[in-house]
Amino acid sequence: ITGVSSGIGRVLTKSLIEFNYTVWGVARRQEFLLSLAKEISSTKFFYSRADISTDSDWEKLVKQLINKKFIPDVIIFNAAILENDLEDGFDIKSTEKMMSTNFYGAIRGVALLLPLMKPGSQFLAISSLSAFKGSGVEGVGYAASKAALSIAFESLHQRYKDIFSFKTIYFGPITGGMSPFKKKPPFAISEEAAVKFIIKAMEGKNIIYFYPKLLFTIYRFIKLLP
């Protein structure tokens, strides 16, 4: 699981350990990884400090997995950053930063991990309602990166559907998450509810998941209106 230092990734890691999974967590911030390991206190939790936006860190991570003979059955690309690159003009550097982590960070991982994975393994991308819409509040990079990741996973599914599962989970607003909105938006879900849904998707056979489903049904209907 990438992005385990906080938010959904941290809650998901703890939940999977409770369900007796063995988890390898990845995050940029070493101090948060150490605190998570201390909190979990389990021999079933392994971790690596890595910045998934860089090739070198991904290569080191893959070597660590190979050395430990840890071949994942499920890989969850959860790590993401959100910055408003339109807050003060157009900050293209911020856009590049988000694309490098949110999109290329996951795609780098897929490219490097594919040769290691056993048939039947799963790749899960955590996407967002933002993938369907632009926003002056969220800026350019976040929505664009989530849309790119979602389309990439659709393409990967078409290519590898007889060997691997490439699943995409679209979430609406999550309380405690990275939302830039000051007030709690409608249909917001808790991190715990999001984690339960991810585990459900891991065990399911569908390729695309929406949660909460009613929000996406309403939004997709509105998009059809002139």
Side-chain angles (χ1 to χ4, degrees):
I1 307 172
T2 65
V4 302
S5 61
S6 61
I8 293 177
R10 193 177 185 96
V11 178
L12 177 60
T13 299
K14 292 190 288 185
S15 296
L16 290 176
I17 293 293
E18 290 176 2
F19 283 117
N20 207 34
Y21 283 87
T22 301
V23 178
W24 195 302
V26 180
R28 288 178 300 155
R29 297 174 289 184
Q30 180 76 8
E31 65 273 20
F32 287 93
L33 283 169
L34 293 174
S35 68
L36 178 58
K38 184 178 180 180
E39 185 178 348
I40 292 174
S41 186
S42 171
T43 57
K44 288 184 172 291
F45 179 58
F46 300 85
Y47 62 88
S48 294
R49 193 221 68 80
D51 181 350
I52 65 168
S53 69
T54 65
D55 289 327
S56 59
D57 276 18
W58 260 118
E59 290 165 0
K60 289 177 184 177
L61 173 57
V62 171
K63 287 180 181 178
Q64 290 171 350
L65 293 172
I66 293 172
N67 290 339
K68 286 285 187 180
K69 297 181 180 179
F70 188 103
I71 307 302
D73 297 309
V74 182
I75 299 174
I76 301 173
F77 295 102
N78 166 71
I81 57 175
L82 188 158
E83 297 179 357
N84 187 355
D85 46 15
L86 293 179
E87 186 172 14
D88 184 19
F90 183 17
D91 183 0
I92 189 64
K93 293 295 183 182
S94 179
T95 309
E96 291 173 348
K97 181 180 176 182
M98 284 184 279
M99 291 296 294
S100 185
T101 296
N102 304 357
F103 174 61
Y104 286 112
I107 298 305
R108 285 186 181 95
V110 171
L112 288 171
L113 291 167
L114 265 177
L116 305 181
M117 305 294 282
K118 299 175 183 177
S121 300
Q122 300 183 48
F123 295 82
L124 273 71
I126 305 301
S127 191
S128 165
L129 179 65
S130 299
F132 296 97
K133 62 182 182 66
S135 168
V137 177
E138 289 181 330
V140 173
Y142 185 74
S145 64
K146 288 299 185 181
L149 180 61
S150 302
I151 293 297
F153 262 58
E154 288 186 24
S155 298
L156 288 163
H157 163 68
Q158 292 297 329
R159 172 63 178 82
Y160 292 104
K161 59 186 175 182
D162 295 329
I163 308 173
F164 306 113
S165 292
F166 280 89
K167 300 179 178 180
T168 305
I169 304 173
Y170 294 89
F171 282 124
I174 297 175
T175 56
M178 298 184 295
S179 174
F181 303 103
K182 295 180 180 180
K183 294 182 179 180
K184 181 180 177 180
F187 297 98
I189 60 175
S190 67
E191 291 176 344
E192 290 73 19
V195 163
K196 288 180 181 179
F197 192 79
I198 292 172
I199 295 173
K200 180 180 178 181
M202 286 170 54
E203 298 170 349
K205 295 183 179 181
N206 293 338
I207 299 302
I208 297 176
Y209 295 85
F210 300 97
Y211 188 68
K213 195 170 184 178
L214 178 59
L215 172 62
F216 285 90
T217 300
I218 294 172
Y219 182 76
R220 291 162 81 181
F221 174 74
I222 291 173
K223 291 282 282 186
L224 294 175
L225 299 176

PDB file of all heavy atoms in Angstrom, residues 42 64 102-103 124 129 146 153 171-172 196 206 222 226:
ATOM      1  N   SER A  42       3.260  -5.514  15.010  1.00  0.00           N
ATOM      2  CA  SER A  42       2.961  -6.822  14.428  1.00  0.00           C
ATOM      3  C   SER A  42       4.087  -7.261  13.509  1.00  0.00           C
ATOM      4  O   SER A  42       4.671  -6.441  12.791  1.00  0.00           O
ATOM      5  CB  SER A  42       1.654  -6.762  13.639  1.00  0.00           C
ATOM      6  OG  SER A  42       1.442  -7.942  12.896  1.00  0.00           O
ATOM      7  N   GLN A  64      14.003  -4.413  -2.391  1.00  0.00           N
ATOM      8  CA  GLN A  64      13.691  -4.817  -1.016  1.00  0.00           C
ATOM      9  C   GLN A  64      12.636  -5.920  -1.007  1.00  0.00           C
ATOM     10  O   GLN A  64      12.736  -6.885  -0.230  1.00  0.00           O
ATOM     11  CB  GLN A  64      13.207  -3.616  -0.216  1.00  0.00           C
ATOM     12  CG  GLN A  64      14.301  -2.602   0.087  1.00  0.00           C
ATOM     13  CD  GLN A  64      13.754  -1.321   0.692  1.00  0.00           C
ATOM     14  OE1 GLN A  64      12.549  -1.102   0.730  1.00  0.00           O
ATOM     15  NE2 GLN A  64      14.648  -0.453   1.154  1.00  0.00           N
ATOM     16  N   ASN A 102       0.790  11.474  -8.119  1.00  0.00           N
ATOM     17  CA  ASN A 102      -0.538  10.873  -8.228  1.00  0.00           C
ATOM     18  C   ASN A 102      -0.698   9.982  -9.451  1.00  0.00           C
ATOM     19  O   ASN A 102      -1.413   8.977  -9.391  1.00  0.00           O
ATOM     20  CB  ASN A 102      -1.612  11.965  -8.272  1.00  0.00           C
ATOM     21  CG  ASN A 102      -1.557  12.890  -7.079  1.00  0.00           C
ATOM     22  OD1 ASN A 102      -0.762  12.706  -6.162  1.00  0.00           O
ATOM     23  ND2 ASN A 102      -2.405  13.902  -7.078  1.00  0.00           N
ATOM     24  N   PHE A 103      -0.046  10.355 -10.554  1.00  0.00           N
ATOM     25  CA  PHE A 103      -0.167   9.559 -11.781  1.00  0.00           C
ATOM     26  C   PHE A 103       1.087   8.731 -12.054  1.00  0.00           C
ATOM     27  O   PHE A 103       1.061   7.509 -11.989  1.00  0.00           O
ATOM     28  CB  PHE A 103      -0.469  10.465 -12.973  1.00  0.00           C
ATOM     29  CG  PHE A 103      -0.462   9.748 -14.291  1.00  0.00           C
ATOM     30  CD1 PHE A 103      -1.356   8.712 -14.534  1.00  0.00           C
ATOM     31  CD2 PHE A 103       0.447  10.085 -15.288  1.00  0.00           C
ATOM     32  CE1 PHE A 103      -1.347   8.021 -15.748  1.00  0.00           C
ATOM     33  CE2 PHE A 103       0.463   9.408 -16.502  1.00  0.00           C
ATOM     34  CZ  PHE A 103      -0.434   8.379 -16.724  1.00  0.00           C
ATOM     35  N   LEU A 124      -4.889  -2.012  -7.526  1.00  0.00           N
ATOM     36  CA  LEU A 124      -6.020  -1.138  -7.214  1.00  0.00           C
ATOM     37  C   LEU A 124      -5.576   0.320  -7.229  1.00  0.00           C
ATOM     38  O   LEU A 124      -4.612   0.690  -6.563  1.00  0.00           O
ATOM     39  CB  LEU A 124      -6.600  -1.457  -5.831  1.00  0.00           C
ATOM     40  CG  LEU A 124      -7.667  -2.540  -5.736  1.00  0.00           C
ATOM     41  CD1 LEU A 124      -7.047  -3.912  -5.986  1.00  0.00           C
ATOM     42  CD2 LEU A 124      -8.334  -2.523  -4.368  1.00  0.00           C
ATOM     43  N   LEU A 129     -13.963  11.510  -7.352  1.00  0.00           N
ATOM     44  CA  LEU A 129     -14.952  12.239  -8.142  1.00  0.00           C
ATOM     45  C   LEU A 129     -14.276  13.332  -8.968  1.00  0.00           C
ATOM     46  O   LEU A 129     -14.757  13.700 -10.046  1.00  0.00           O
ATOM     47  CB  LEU A 129     -15.997  12.863  -7.209  1.00  0.00           C
ATOM     48  CG  LEU A 129     -17.103  13.696  -7.845  1.00  0.00           C
ATOM     49  CD1 LEU A 129     -18.001  12.841  -8.734  1.00  0.00           C
ATOM     50  CD2 LEU A 129     -17.940  14.392  -6.768  1.00  0.00           C
ATOM     51  N   LYS A 146      -5.855  12.366 -11.375  1.00  0.00           N
ATOM     52  CA  LYS A 146      -6.797  11.291 -11.073  1.00  0.00           C
ATOM     53  C   LYS A 146      -7.482  10.785 -12.344  1.00  0.00           C
ATOM     54  O   LYS A 146      -7.727   9.585 -12.503  1.00  0.00           O
ATOM     55  CB  LYS A 146      -7.841  11.771 -10.059  1.00  0.00           C
ATOM     56  CG  LYS A 146      -7.289  11.949  -8.655  1.00  0.00           C
ATOM     57  CD  LYS A 146      -6.742  10.639  -8.095  1.00  0.00           C
ATOM     58  CE  LYS A 146      -6.292  10.756  -6.655  1.00  0.00           C
ATOM     59  NZ  LYS A 146      -5.737   9.484  -6.125  1.00  0.00           N
ATOM     60  N   PHE A 153      -5.584   2.866 -15.919  1.00  0.00           N
ATOM     61  CA  PHE A 153      -5.991   1.563 -15.383  1.00  0.00           C
ATOM     62  C   PHE A 153      -7.019   0.884 -16.290  1.00  0.00           C
ATOM     63  O   PHE A 153      -7.045  -0.345 -16.385  1.00  0.00           O
ATOM     64  CB  PHE A 153      -6.511   1.719 -13.958  1.00  0.00           C
ATOM     65  CG  PHE A 153      -5.465   1.399 -12.925  1.00  0.00           C
ATOM     66  CD1 PHE A 153      -4.264   2.097 -12.900  1.00  0.00           C
ATOM     67  CD2 PHE A 153      -5.658   0.396 -11.992  1.00  0.00           C
ATOM     68  CE1 PHE A 153      -3.279   1.795 -11.979  1.00  0.00           C
ATOM     69  CE2 PHE A 153      -4.679   0.080 -11.059  1.00  0.00           C
ATOM     70  CZ  PHE A 153      -3.491   0.776 -11.045  1.00  0.00           C
ATOM     71  N   PHE A 171     -13.889   7.530  -5.106  1.00  0.00           N
ATOM     72  CA  PHE A 171     -14.495   7.995  -3.868  1.00  0.00           C
ATOM     73  C   PHE A 171     -15.006   9.425  -4.023  1.00  0.00           C
ATOM     74  O   PHE A 171     -14.402  10.243  -4.720  1.00  0.00           O
ATOM     75  CB  PHE A 171     -13.488   7.972  -2.718  1.00  0.00           C
ATOM     76  CG  PHE A 171     -13.245   6.602  -2.144  1.00  0.00           C
ATOM     77  CD1 PHE A 171     -11.961   6.079  -2.079  1.00  0.00           C
ATOM     78  CD2 PHE A 171     -14.300   5.843  -1.649  1.00  0.00           C
ATOM     79  CE1 PHE A 171     -11.735   4.810  -1.552  1.00  0.00           C
ATOM     80  CE2 PHE A 171     -14.082   4.587  -1.110  1.00  0.00           C
ATOM     81  CZ  PHE A 171     -12.801   4.073  -1.060  1.00  0.00           C
ATOM     82  N   GLY A 172     -16.093   9.702  -3.312  1.00  0.00           N
ATOM     83  CA  GLY A 172     -16.546  11.069  -3.149  1.00  0.00           C
ATOM     84  C   GLY A 172     -15.732  11.723  -2.044  1.00  0.00           C
ATOM     85  O   GLY A 172     -14.684  11.210  -1.641  1.00  0.00           O
ATOM     86  N   LYS A 196     -13.429   0.114   4.558  1.00  0.00           N
ATOM     87  CA  LYS A 196     -14.298  -1.068   4.436  1.00  0.00           C
ATOM     88  C   LYS A 196     -14.662  -1.320   2.977  1.00  0.00           C
ATOM     89  O   LYS A 196     -14.730  -2.468   2.524  1.00  0.00           O
ATOM     90  CB  LYS A 196     -15.569  -0.877   5.274  1.00  0.00           C
ATOM     91  CG  LYS A 196     -15.345  -0.960   6.769  1.00  0.00           C
ATOM     92  CD  LYS A 196     -16.652  -0.761   7.529  1.00  0.00           C
ATOM     93  CE  LYS A 196     -16.425  -0.821   9.035  1.00  0.00           C
ATOM     94  NZ  LYS A 196     -17.694  -0.592   9.792  1.00  0.00           N
ATOM     95  N   ASN A 206     -15.681  -6.986  -9.684  1.00  0.00           N
ATOM     96  CA  ASN A 206     -15.837  -5.852 -10.596  1.00  0.00           C
ATOM     97  C   ASN A 206     -14.501  -5.157 -10.830  1.00  0.00           C
ATOM     98  O   ASN A 206     -13.547  -5.334 -10.072  1.00  0.00           O
ATOM     99  CB  ASN A 206     -16.854  -4.851 -10.054  1.00  0.00           C
ATOM    100  CG  ASN A 206     -18.269  -5.427 -10.030  1.00  0.00           C
ATOM    101  OD1 ASN A 206     -18.579  -6.372 -10.757  1.00  0.00           O
ATOM    102  ND2 ASN A 206     -19.127  -4.870  -9.193  1.00  0.00           N
ATOM    103  N   ILE A 222     -26.556  14.595 -13.801  1.00  0.00           N
ATOM    104  CA  ILE A 222     -26.454  16.049 -14.007  1.00  0.00           C
ATOM    105  C   ILE A 222     -25.579  16.368 -15.219  1.00  0.00           C
ATOM    106  O   ILE A 222     -25.855  17.297 -15.982  1.00  0.00           O
ATOM    107  CB  ILE A 222     -25.894  16.728 -12.730  1.00  0.00           C
ATOM    108  CG1 ILE A 222     -26.920  16.643 -11.607  1.00  0.00           C
ATOM    109  CG2 ILE A 222     -25.518  18.187 -13.004  1.00  0.00           C
ATOM    110  CD1 ILE A 222     -26.401  17.137 -10.274  1.00  0.00           C
ATOM    111  N   PRO A 226     -28.259  19.618 -20.373  1.00  0.00           N
ATOM    112  CA  PRO A 226     -27.626  20.706 -21.150  1.00  0.00           C
ATOM    113  C   PRO A 226     -27.257  21.889 -20.248  1.00  0.00           C
ATOM    114  O   PRO A 226     -27.827  22.061 -19.183  1.00  0.00           O
ATOM    115  CB  PRO A 226     -28.717  21.093 -22.156  1.00  0.00           C
ATOM    116  CG  PRO A 226     -29.989  20.644 -21.493  1.00  0.00           C
ATOM    117  CD  PRO A 226     -29.672  19.423 -20.693  1.00  0.00           C
TER     118      PRO A 226
END
